[in-house]
Short mmCIF file of all heavy atoms in Angstrom, two decimals:
data_model
loop_
_atom_site.label_atom_id
_atom_site.label_comp_id
_atom_site.label_asym_id
_atom_site.label_seq_id
_atom_site.Cartn_x
_atom_site.Cartn_y
_atom_site.Cartn_z
N LYS A 1 0.82 -1.26 -0.09
CA LYS A 1 -0.01 -0.04 -0.01
C LYS A 1 0.90 1.29 -0.02
O LYS A 1 0.47 2.34 -0.71
CB LYS A 1 -0.95 0.02 1.26
CG LYS A 1 -1.82 1.18 1.24
CD LYS A 1 -2.88 1.16 2.39
CE LYS A 1 -3.68 2.32 2.39
NZ LYS A 1 -4.93 2.21 1.71
N GLN A 2 2.03 1.14 0.67
CA GLN A 2 2.92 2.35 0.75
C GLN A 2 3.51 2.78 -0.61
O GLN A 2 3.87 4.00 -0.79
CB GLN A 2 3.94 2.14 1.68
CG GLN A 2 5.08 1.17 1.29
CD GLN A 2 6.09 0.93 2.30
OE1 GLN A 2 6.48 1.89 3.03
NE2 GLN A 2 6.69 -0.34 2.38
N TYR A 3 3.42 1.86 -1.58
CA TYR A 3 3.96 2.14 -2.92
C TYR A 3 2.80 2.62 -3.89
O TYR A 3 3.13 2.86 -5.06
CB TYR A 3 4.69 0.89 -3.46
CG TYR A 3 5.93 0.66 -2.74
CD1 TYR A 3 5.94 -0.31 -1.70
CD2 TYR A 3 7.10 1.47 -2.93
CE1 TYR A 3 7.18 -0.65 -1.05
CE2 TYR A 3 8.34 1.12 -2.30
CZ TYR A 3 8.29 0.17 -1.30
OH TYR A 3 9.48 -0.01 -0.70
N SER A 4 1.57 2.44 -3.46
CA SER A 4 0.46 2.93 -4.32
C SER A 4 0.55 4.41 -4.72
O SER A 4 1.00 5.20 -3.83
CB SER A 4 -0.91 2.62 -3.63
OG SER A 4 -1.07 1.11 -3.60
N THR A 5 0.01 4.76 -5.77
CA THR A 5 0.02 6.10 -6.15
C THR A 5 -1.45 6.49 -6.60
O THR A 5 -2.34 5.67 -6.48
CB THR A 5 0.96 6.47 -7.38
OG1 THR A 5 0.31 5.70 -8.49
CG2 THR A 5 2.32 5.93 -7.05
N ASP A 6 -1.67 7.73 -7.00
CA ASP A 6 -2.95 8.14 -7.49
C ASP A 6 -3.29 7.39 -8.71
O ASP A 6 -4.49 7.23 -9.06
CB ASP A 6 -2.96 9.69 -7.87
CG ASP A 6 -2.85 10.52 -6.63
OD1 ASP A 6 -3.20 9.98 -5.53
OD2 ASP A 6 -2.45 11.70 -6.75
N HIS A 7 -2.29 6.92 -9.49
CA HIS A 7 -2.54 6.24 -10.79
C HIS A 7 -2.67 4.71 -10.59
O HIS A 7 -3.30 4.05 -11.51
CB HIS A 7 -1.41 6.59 -11.83
CG HIS A 7 -1.38 8.01 -12.08
ND1 HIS A 7 -2.36 8.69 -12.73
CD2 HIS A 7 -0.44 8.92 -11.79
CE1 HIS A 7 -2.08 9.97 -12.82
NE2 HIS A 7 -0.82 10.23 -12.26
N LEU A 8 -1.92 4.20 -9.77
CA LEU A 8 -1.90 2.69 -9.49
C LEU A 8 -1.99 2.30 -8.10
O LEU A 8 -1.19 2.86 -7.31
CB LEU A 8 -0.55 2.03 -10.03
CG LEU A 8 -0.39 1.99 -11.66
CD1 LEU A 8 0.93 1.37 -11.93
CD2 LEU A 8 -1.43 1.12 -12.15
N GLU A 9 -3.09 1.57 -7.81
CA GLU A 9 -3.14 0.99 -6.38
C GLU A 9 -2.72 -0.48 -6.52
O GLU A 9 -3.26 -1.24 -7.22
CB GLU A 9 -4.62 1.13 -5.98
CG GLU A 9 -4.76 0.43 -4.51
CD GLU A 9 -6.22 0.47 -4.14
OE1 GLU A 9 -7.09 1.01 -4.94
OE2 GLU A 9 -6.60 -0.04 -3.03
N TYR A 10 -1.71 -0.83 -5.64
CA TYR A 10 -1.29 -2.14 -5.63
C TYR A 10 -2.10 -3.00 -4.53
O TYR A 10 -2.25 -2.67 -3.47
CB TYR A 10 0.25 -2.26 -5.19
CG TYR A 10 1.08 -1.55 -6.25
CD1 TYR A 10 1.56 -0.33 -6.03
CD2 TYR A 10 1.15 -2.08 -7.54
CE1 TYR A 10 2.37 0.29 -6.93
CE2 TYR A 10 1.94 -1.32 -8.45
CZ TYR A 10 2.55 -0.18 -8.11
OH TYR A 10 3.25 0.53 -9.08
N ILE A 11 -2.80 -4.04 -4.99
CA ILE A 11 -3.60 -4.89 -4.24
C ILE A 11 -2.91 -6.22 -4.10
O ILE A 11 -2.40 -6.80 -5.04
CB ILE A 11 -4.97 -4.90 -5.06
CG1 ILE A 11 -5.62 -3.69 -5.25
CG2 ILE A 11 -5.93 -5.88 -4.14
CD1 ILE A 11 -6.74 -3.62 -6.27
N VAL A 12 -3.09 -6.66 -2.86
CA VAL A 12 -2.52 -8.01 -2.54
C VAL A 12 -3.67 -8.92 -2.07
O VAL A 12 -4.44 -8.58 -1.24
CB VAL A 12 -1.46 -7.93 -1.39
CG1 VAL A 12 -0.80 -9.28 -1.08
CG2 VAL A 12 -0.38 -6.92 -1.79
N GLU A 13 -3.62 -10.18 -2.56
CA GLU A 13 -4.65 -11.19 -2.01
C GLU A 13 -3.94 -12.48 -2.06
O GLU A 13 -2.90 -12.78 -2.78
CB GLU A 13 -5.85 -11.12 -3.17
CG GLU A 13 -6.61 -10.09 -3.16
CD GLU A 13 -7.79 -10.08 -4.07
OE1 GLU A 13 -7.96 -11.19 -4.65
OE2 GLU A 13 -8.49 -9.05 -4.35
N ALA A 14 -4.54 -13.38 -1.32
CA ALA A 14 -3.99 -14.79 -1.38
C ALA A 14 -4.30 -15.42 -2.72
O ALA A 14 -5.29 -15.07 -3.45
CB ALA A 14 -4.71 -15.61 -0.31
N GLN A 15 -3.34 -16.24 -3.16
CA GLN A 15 -3.41 -16.86 -4.50
C GLN A 15 -3.48 -18.40 -4.23
O GLN A 15 -2.40 -19.10 -4.40
CB GLN A 15 -2.30 -16.37 -5.42
CG GLN A 15 -2.41 -16.89 -6.83
CD GLN A 15 -3.67 -16.44 -7.51
OE1 GLN A 15 -4.08 -15.29 -7.35
NE2 GLN A 15 -4.13 -17.02 -8.55
N PRO A 16 -4.59 -19.03 -4.00
CA PRO A 16 -4.67 -20.44 -3.68
C PRO A 16 -4.68 -21.39 -4.86
O PRO A 16 -4.46 -22.57 -4.79
CB PRO A 16 -5.97 -20.56 -2.88
CG PRO A 16 -6.81 -19.41 -3.52
CD PRO A 16 -5.88 -18.35 -3.80
N GLU A 17 -4.85 -20.79 -6.10
CA GLU A 17 -4.96 -21.64 -7.30
C GLU A 17 -4.18 -20.89 -8.42
O GLU A 17 -3.91 -19.70 -8.34
CB GLU A 17 -6.36 -21.86 -7.69
CG GLU A 17 -7.19 -20.51 -8.10
CD GLU A 17 -8.53 -20.82 -8.39
OE1 GLU A 17 -8.83 -21.87 -9.16
OE2 GLU A 17 -9.49 -20.15 -7.91
N SER A 18 -4.05 -21.62 -9.50
CA SER A 18 -3.38 -21.02 -10.67
C SER A 18 -4.17 -19.94 -11.46
O SER A 18 -3.54 -19.08 -11.99
CB SER A 18 -2.90 -22.17 -11.65
OG SER A 18 -3.98 -22.83 -12.27
N LYS A 19 -5.45 -20.09 -11.48
CA LYS A 19 -6.24 -19.12 -12.10
C LYS A 19 -6.38 -17.76 -11.49
O LYS A 19 -6.52 -17.70 -10.29
CB LYS A 19 -7.65 -19.73 -12.29
CG LYS A 19 -8.62 -18.84 -13.11
CD LYS A 19 -9.86 -19.51 -13.48
CE LYS A 19 -10.88 -19.39 -12.44
NZ LYS A 19 -12.23 -19.90 -12.88
N ILE A 20 -6.16 -16.82 -12.22
CA ILE A 20 -6.24 -15.31 -11.72
C ILE A 20 -7.62 -14.91 -11.69
O ILE A 20 -8.19 -14.42 -12.67
CB ILE A 20 -5.32 -14.49 -12.56
CG1 ILE A 20 -3.89 -14.90 -12.44
CG2 ILE A 20 -5.48 -12.94 -12.01
CD1 ILE A 20 -2.87 -14.03 -13.39
N THR A 21 -8.24 -15.06 -10.64
CA THR A 21 -9.86 -15.07 -10.54
C THR A 21 -10.25 -13.57 -10.49
O THR A 21 -11.42 -13.32 -10.67
CB THR A 21 -10.22 -15.63 -9.24
OG1 THR A 21 -9.61 -15.12 -8.11
CG2 THR A 21 -10.07 -17.16 -9.34
N VAL A 22 -9.42 -12.58 -10.32
CA VAL A 22 -9.88 -11.20 -10.30
C VAL A 22 -10.18 -10.76 -11.76
O VAL A 22 -10.92 -9.75 -11.97
CB VAL A 22 -8.86 -10.17 -9.68
CG1 VAL A 22 -8.67 -10.42 -8.18
CG2 VAL A 22 -7.55 -10.21 -10.36
N ILE A 23 -9.80 -11.41 -12.72
CA ILE A 23 -10.05 -11.15 -14.11
C ILE A 23 -11.28 -12.01 -14.44
O ILE A 23 -11.19 -13.31 -14.40
CB ILE A 23 -8.97 -11.52 -15.12
CG1 ILE A 23 -7.83 -10.41 -14.77
CG2 ILE A 23 -9.39 -11.33 -16.51
CD1 ILE A 23 -6.66 -10.63 -15.72
N GLU A 24 -12.48 -11.53 -14.83
CA GLU A 24 -13.70 -12.21 -15.15
C GLU A 24 -13.65 -12.84 -16.49
O GLU A 24 -14.18 -14.03 -16.69
CB GLU A 24 -14.86 -11.39 -14.92
CG GLU A 24 -15.13 -10.86 -13.50
CD GLU A 24 -16.22 -9.81 -13.40
OE1 GLU A 24 -16.84 -9.71 -14.41
OE2 GLU A 24 -16.27 -9.16 -12.33
N ASN A 25 -13.16 -12.15 -17.48
CA ASN A 25 -13.27 -12.56 -18.94
C ASN A 25 -12.05 -13.15 -19.26
O ASN A 25 -11.06 -12.62 -19.45
CB ASN A 25 -13.68 -11.40 -19.81
CG ASN A 25 -14.90 -10.72 -19.38
OD1 ASN A 25 -15.77 -11.34 -18.89
ND2 ASN A 25 -15.13 -9.44 -19.64
N ASP A 26 -12.10 -14.50 -19.48
CA ASP A 26 -11.00 -15.28 -19.97
C ASP A 26 -9.72 -15.09 -19.06
O ASP A 26 -8.60 -14.68 -19.55
CB ASP A 26 -10.65 -15.02 -21.40
CG ASP A 26 -9.63 -15.96 -22.01
OD1 ASP A 26 -9.62 -17.14 -21.54
OD2 ASP A 26 -8.90 -15.45 -22.91
N PRO A 27 -9.87 -15.48 -17.78
CA PRO A 27 -8.72 -15.30 -16.86
C PRO A 27 -7.42 -16.15 -17.25
O PRO A 27 -7.51 -17.30 -17.54
CB PRO A 27 -9.24 -15.66 -15.51
CG PRO A 27 -10.29 -16.59 -15.77
CD PRO A 27 -10.92 -16.25 -17.14
N PRO A 28 -6.39 -15.43 -17.06
CA PRO A 28 -4.98 -16.19 -17.37
C PRO A 28 -4.73 -17.07 -16.15
O PRO A 28 -5.33 -16.93 -15.13
CB PRO A 28 -3.90 -14.97 -17.53
CG PRO A 28 -4.45 -13.92 -16.83
CD PRO A 28 -6.07 -14.05 -16.86
N ARG A 29 -3.66 -17.77 -16.16
CA ARG A 29 -3.23 -18.75 -15.17
C ARG A 29 -1.82 -18.42 -14.87
O ARG A 29 -0.93 -18.17 -15.77
CB ARG A 29 -3.50 -20.17 -15.52
CG ARG A 29 -4.91 -20.48 -15.62
CD ARG A 29 -5.13 -21.99 -15.88
NE ARG A 29 -6.43 -22.38 -15.91
CZ ARG A 29 -7.16 -22.70 -14.84
NH1 ARG A 29 -6.65 -22.66 -13.69
NH2 ARG A 29 -8.56 -22.97 -14.96
N PHE A 30 -1.36 -18.60 -13.63
CA PHE A 30 0.04 -18.77 -13.29
C PHE A 30 0.51 -20.17 -13.46
O PHE A 30 0.09 -21.14 -12.76
CB PHE A 30 0.30 -18.35 -11.84
CG PHE A 30 0.13 -16.91 -11.63
CD1 PHE A 30 -0.73 -16.37 -10.61
CD2 PHE A 30 0.93 -15.90 -12.20
CE1 PHE A 30 -0.74 -15.00 -10.33
CE2 PHE A 30 0.89 -14.59 -11.99
CZ PHE A 30 -0.08 -14.15 -11.03
N LEU A 31 1.50 -20.38 -14.37
CA LEU A 31 1.88 -21.72 -14.65
C LEU A 31 2.68 -22.24 -13.43
O LEU A 31 2.66 -23.53 -13.25
CB LEU A 31 2.78 -21.69 -15.94
CG LEU A 31 2.13 -21.25 -17.17
CD1 LEU A 31 3.17 -21.22 -18.30
CD2 LEU A 31 1.01 -22.16 -17.43
N SER A 32 3.39 -21.53 -12.54
CA SER A 32 4.09 -21.88 -11.45
C SER A 32 3.19 -22.57 -10.40
O SER A 32 3.73 -23.21 -9.50
CB SER A 32 4.93 -20.73 -10.82
OG SER A 32 5.67 -20.19 -11.81
N MET A 33 1.99 -22.30 -10.42
CA MET A 33 0.96 -22.70 -9.35
C MET A 33 0.29 -24.00 -9.70
O MET A 33 -0.40 -24.49 -8.96
CB MET A 33 -0.10 -21.65 -9.22
CG MET A 33 0.32 -20.46 -8.61
SD MET A 33 0.40 -20.40 -6.76
CE MET A 33 -1.09 -21.00 -6.33
N LEU A 34 0.60 -24.57 -10.87
CA LEU A 34 -0.15 -25.72 -11.30
C LEU A 34 -0.03 -26.94 -10.35
O LEU A 34 -1.03 -27.75 -10.26
CB LEU A 34 0.20 -26.07 -12.76
CG LEU A 34 -0.18 -25.07 -13.77
CD1 LEU A 34 0.37 -25.53 -15.14
CD2 LEU A 34 -1.55 -24.94 -13.76
N ASN A 35 1.08 -27.16 -9.73
CA ASN A 35 1.26 -28.33 -8.93
C ASN A 35 1.75 -28.06 -7.52
O ASN A 35 2.62 -28.71 -6.94
CB ASN A 35 2.18 -29.39 -9.61
CG ASN A 35 1.65 -29.93 -10.91
OD1 ASN A 35 0.50 -30.31 -10.90
ND2 ASN A 35 2.53 -30.09 -11.93
N THR A 36 1.33 -27.04 -6.93
CA THR A 36 1.71 -26.61 -5.62
C THR A 36 0.60 -27.08 -4.62
O THR A 36 -0.53 -27.30 -5.04
CB THR A 36 1.79 -25.09 -5.50
OG1 THR A 36 0.76 -24.53 -5.71
CG2 THR A 36 2.90 -24.65 -6.50
N GLY A 37 1.13 -27.28 -3.41
CA GLY A 37 0.13 -27.67 -2.44
C GLY A 37 0.32 -26.71 -1.15
O GLY A 37 -0.21 -26.98 -0.14
N THR A 38 1.08 -25.64 -1.30
CA THR A 38 1.30 -24.76 -0.23
C THR A 38 0.34 -23.59 -0.28
O THR A 38 -0.29 -23.26 -1.36
CB THR A 38 2.71 -24.40 -0.23
OG1 THR A 38 3.02 -23.49 -1.40
CG2 THR A 38 3.72 -25.46 -0.21
N HIS A 39 0.23 -22.87 0.84
CA HIS A 39 -0.50 -21.58 0.90
C HIS A 39 0.39 -20.34 1.09
O HIS A 39 -0.08 -19.43 1.59
CB HIS A 39 -1.50 -21.79 2.10
CG HIS A 39 -2.39 -22.91 1.96
ND1 HIS A 39 -3.42 -22.98 1.09
CD2 HIS A 39 -2.40 -24.20 2.58
CE1 HIS A 39 -4.02 -24.19 1.13
NE2 HIS A 39 -3.41 -24.79 2.05
N ASP A 40 1.57 -20.47 0.53
CA ASP A 40 2.49 -19.32 0.68
C ASP A 40 2.51 -18.39 -0.59
O ASP A 40 3.40 -17.60 -0.71
CB ASP A 40 3.94 -19.92 0.89
CG ASP A 40 4.02 -20.84 2.01
OD1 ASP A 40 3.18 -20.61 3.03
OD2 ASP A 40 5.01 -21.62 2.17
N TYR A 41 1.49 -18.41 -1.37
CA TYR A 41 1.51 -17.72 -2.59
C TYR A 41 0.46 -16.55 -2.51
O TYR A 41 -0.66 -16.75 -1.96
CB TYR A 41 1.15 -18.60 -3.83
CG TYR A 41 2.25 -19.55 -4.27
CD1 TYR A 41 2.32 -20.76 -3.67
CD2 TYR A 41 3.32 -19.07 -5.05
CE1 TYR A 41 3.32 -21.74 -4.01
CE2 TYR A 41 4.27 -19.96 -5.42
CZ TYR A 41 4.34 -21.23 -4.97
OH TYR A 41 5.45 -22.01 -5.22
N TYR A 42 0.86 -15.46 -3.00
CA TYR A 42 0.03 -14.15 -3.11
C TYR A 42 0.16 -13.60 -4.44
O TYR A 42 1.16 -13.73 -5.06
CB TYR A 42 0.47 -13.20 -1.96
CG TYR A 42 0.29 -13.83 -0.56
CD1 TYR A 42 1.33 -14.53 0.02
CD2 TYR A 42 -0.93 -13.64 0.08
CE1 TYR A 42 1.14 -15.08 1.29
CE2 TYR A 42 -1.13 -14.14 1.41
CZ TYR A 42 -0.06 -14.83 1.99
OH TYR A 42 -0.14 -15.54 3.24
N ILE A 43 -0.87 -12.83 -4.71
CA ILE A 43 -0.85 -12.10 -5.97
C ILE A 43 -0.75 -10.67 -5.57
O ILE A 43 -1.58 -10.13 -4.76
CB ILE A 43 -2.05 -12.35 -6.85
CG1 ILE A 43 -1.94 -11.56 -8.20
CG2 ILE A 43 -3.33 -12.08 -6.19
CD1 ILE A 43 -2.96 -12.05 -9.21
N VAL A 44 0.13 -9.90 -6.24
CA VAL A 44 0.08 -8.37 -6.14
C VAL A 44 -0.26 -7.91 -7.54
O VAL A 44 0.40 -8.23 -8.54
CB VAL A 44 1.54 -7.91 -5.77
CG1 VAL A 44 1.53 -6.37 -5.69
CG2 VAL A 44 2.04 -8.58 -4.53
#
């Protein structure tokens, strides 16, 4: 949050799966998440 500006707000959320769910229309996927079982991943 301290790096956010008037033009860009940086949002952080847990990323439990490969699909980027904040994009509704044809969401991309993180390839690195395909076979993970940990909960240490976040999306900025």
Side-chain angles (χ1 to χ4, degrees):
K1 184 178 176 91
Q2 69 182 329
Y3 292 99
S4 292
T5 66
D6 291 339
H7 301 291
L8 284 177
E9 177 187 0
Y10 299 108
I11 302 163
V12 182
E13 294 180 8
Q15 184 66 30
E17 61 179 317
S18 64
K19 185 167 83 171
I20 301 175
T21 57
V22 296
I23 295 180
E24 296 173 11
N25 299 332
D26 191 28
R29 296 182 175 275
F30 285 121
L31 298 177
S32 304
M33 292 279 307
L34 293 179
N35 293 317
T36 64
T38 67
H39 302 285
D40 300 337
Y41 290 93
Y42 298 88
I43 184 173
V44 180

